[in-house]
Amino acid sequence: MVSAPFSSESSDPLFDFQLTVIKEESASYLSLMPGPTLPEAARRYLEEYLQQTRKYRNIGTDDQIRFSLYQPVMNSEAGRRSLYMRLRRKFAKERLPQAATIGVTKACQCRCAHCSADYHMASANKNLSDAQLQQAVKEAVELGVTNIILLGGEPLLRRGLESIIEAVDDRAQAVMFTNGEYLTAGRCRSLVAAGLSGVFVSLDSPEAGEHDALRKRPGLFHKLAEGIANAKEAGLAVAVSSYLTTERVQDGVFERTMELAREWQANEVTFFDAIPVGRMSSDCCTFLDMPTRRMIDSLTRAYRARPEYPAVTPQSILTSEIGSSFCFAANTQFYLSSTGDMCPCDFTPLTIGRYPDESIDTLWKRMIATPQYRRRSKVCRMQDPEFRRATIERIPADAALPYPIEAL
């Protein structure tokens, strides 16, 4: 990975802290070693945050402290910088993205029934070049991003993928979502050499036949299982990624996915809410109801208490009425499509403009100034009926997607 100076950040008093790993018999955890100019309020905030992290399972290897693939290894330069950016959001009141999800290709060998990227893959525009995507990554990190998440289509179909990963310097980590088919042993080693930190492998069903049918790709289930083993062998952290509807929760998909992920020795399982967009755009019955969200919360607590299972991160208990967070779109995250459209997130068919016609910084600042995204939302906007009526349902039926926010 590229080494980068931290001169502009090191002059900020909020950057003046160091972390140390405390090792105990049962676990290791991070502790704060404050610098002489770290403001007292910031010091207390960091101490409280680090105290909270002790409740989470460490999925890092060797001496790494890591709680999720959605965050960098905490005792790394990227992890320290992620805490610094947290302080800037809290105390300097800066609206800065933590994550950039970046599409690297429209190509995909699957035709998933629930694909949210369908309209991006159908775009008549060309994919950005390797050089353009490398520059976009650099601009995102400069803006404050500490987590670069690479998407497709299927990212492993991008020939220049490793060169894009190499553009992520030590101030951020790079992870990737993949359907797993092309996670060969050699490709996994190449990804690690380029600097990739982990992979999310998509699993639509814990049953092989159903998974392959949903993805319209015979044999995919067994190939992704082999791919997970290859990724683990190469040193990549691995998360299994799936999605939930009320029906799927009632059918035990949560529990069966957790069991399979345990057998595969995955580090984490992440469950997205099924969102009406892309090939599911007219299927609003997929919205999770409140009893189902409470069931997901209960299951999450139960599995987090069982150390033999992977860590688990469901969207439902973060960005919903019972959640502990806010809608990430245009708050701590943005999405850049493989053809250059900047969107609030990869589930939102709205665009603020195109890269590289304008810089990442310019597009981000315009997006967070729009009426739709000027303020944070407690719940996922794409699951909010009021937001959908005011935006998504106003998009003309024959319009090309993503649709310009300014035209609403």
Side-chain angles (χ1 to χ4, degrees):
M1 297 178 72
V2 179
S3 179
F6 302 99
S7 57
S8 61
E9 294 169 358
S10 61
S11 62
D12 185 344
L14 291 176
F15 197 68
D16 195 10
F17 64 90
Q18 294 292 335
L19 302 170
T20 185
V21 178
I22 306 296
K23 295 184 178 182
E24 295 184 347
E25 278 191 28
S26 57
S28 297
Y29 60 89
L30 285 176
S31 183
L32 183 65
M33 298 174 61
T37 60
L38 185 68
E40 178 63 19
R43 182 189 64 79
R44 289 198 305 270
Y45 175 82
L46 274 188
E47 286 179 340
E48 291 171 4
Y49 176 77
L50 293 174
Q51 182 68 33
Q52 286 292 317
T53 65
R54 297 185 192 182
K55 298 188 300 183
Y56 303 127
R57 187 175 312 161
N58 180 20
I59 63 172
T61 58
D62 301 324
D63 291 328
Q64 294 179 345
I65 304 294
R66 189 180 202 177
F67 308 112
S68 171
L69 269 68
Y70 290 112
Q71 294 180 323
V73 173
M74 298 305 294
N75 54 325
S76 68
E77 286 290 359
R80 178 171 175 246
R81 186 171 184 255
S82 72
L83 293 177
Y84 164 64
M85 291 300 170
R86 179 180 286 270
L87 292 178
R88 282 178 58 176
R89 294 184 195 101
K90 172 74 174 178
F91 294 100
K93 307 301 181 184
E94 294 182 82
R95 187 93 167 263
L96 298 168
Q98 180 269 338
T101 51
I102 298 178
V104 296
T105 182
K106 296 185 292 180
C108 188
Q109 76 276 34
C110 299
R111 294 288 294 172
C112 306
H114 60 85
C115 182
S116 63
D118 181 56
Y119 57 91
H120 288 294
M121 293 192 294
S123 172
N125 296 318
K126 293 181 179 180
N127 284 328
L128 298 176
S129 68
D130 289 352
Q132 288 170 327
L133 283 170
Q134 292 162 15
Q135 182 60 29
V137 163
K138 293 174 183 178
E139 290 182 30
V141 173
E142 195 63 35
L143 181 60
V145 165
T146 54
N147 195 19
I148 298 290
I149 306 172
L150 303 177
L151 312 174
E154 169 49 50
L156 290 171
L157 292 174
R158 177 91 189 203
R159 290 185 179 179
L161 177 62
E162 279 82 352
S163 72
I164 298 165
I165 296 169
E166 288 170 352
V168 183
D169 66 37
D170 294 338
R171 294 175 293 174
Q173 72 162 8
V175 293
M176 177 182 72
F177 277 82
T178 173
N179 59 45
E181 180 170 2
Y182 303 121
L183 284 172
T184 63
R187 193 68 191 274
C188 288
R189 289 193 294 269
S190 175
L191 294 169
V192 170
L196 193 72
S197 177
V199 290
F200 293 85
V201 181
S202 299
L203 182 73
D204 291 351
S205 170
E207 307 299 328
E210 184 179 24
H211 174 81
D212 293 353
L214 286 169
R215 298 229 150 198
K216 296 181 174 57
R217 188 70 174 176
L220 179 61
F221 182 92
H222 293 294
K223 288 181 179 178
L224 77 85
E226 292 175 358
I228 287 174
N230 291 334
K232 295 280 293 182
E233 178 67 23
L236 288 166
V238 174
V240 171
S241 170
S242 193
Y243 68 98
L244 297 173
T245 63
T246 295
E247 181 180 13
R248 284 167 64 86
V249 173
Q250 293 172 346
D251 287 346
V253 169
F254 192 114
E255 297 96 316
R256 289 185 288 127
T257 300
M258 291 298 298
E259 189 61 40
L260 188 58
R262 182 190 65 81
E263 293 176 14
W264 285 340
Q265 298 184 328
N267 302 94
E268 183 176 9
V269 176
T270 185
F271 290 105
F272 290 96
D273 300 351
I275 296 176
V277 65
R279 295 189 189 132
M280 295 181 75
S281 58
S282 61
D283 193 6
C284 287
C285 64
T286 60
F287 282 145
L288 294 169
D289 57 32
M290 190 51 64
T292 302
R293 294 185 189 278
R294 293 197 180 98
M295 186 182 301
I296 293 170
D297 183 44
S298 177
L299 287 167
T300 300
R301 293 175 186 273
Y303 280 102
R304 284 179 173 173
R306 302 179 66 179
E308 68 271 27
Y309 284 89
V312 56
T313 311
Q315 178 187 358
S316 178
I317 65 169
L318 293 173
T319 58
S320 71
E321 295 90 334
I322 65 171
S324 59
S325 188
F326 292 83
C327 177
F328 303 128
N331 179 27
T332 56
Q333 174 185 320
F334 68 82
Y335 170 65
L336 185 71
S337 77
S338 65
T339 59
D341 280 298
M342 183 184 268
C343 309
C345 79
D346 49 305
F347 293 107
T348 305
L350 299 171
T351 179
I352 196 66
R354 289 179 57 77
Y355 180 86
D357 297 345
E358 297 178 279
S359 70
I360 295 296
D361 180 76
T362 297
L363 292 167
W364 170 259
K365 288 176 179 174
R366 185 188 307 135
M367 185 161 58
I368 63 175
T370 62
Q372 296 88 353
Y373 292 94
R374 188 175 296 135
R375 294 179 178 82
R376 294 193 301 181
S377 170
K378 176 61 181 172
V379 301
C380 167
R381 289 178 176 86
M382 285 296 291
Q383 297 182 73
D384 180 356
E386 184 177 340
F387 175 83
R388 293 183 70 93
R389 281 192 295 271
T391 57
I392 307 306
E393 294 176 14
R394 294 179 61 187
I395 299 174
D398 59 350
L401 298 177
Y403 191 71
I405 293 177
E406 63 187 22
L408 291 173

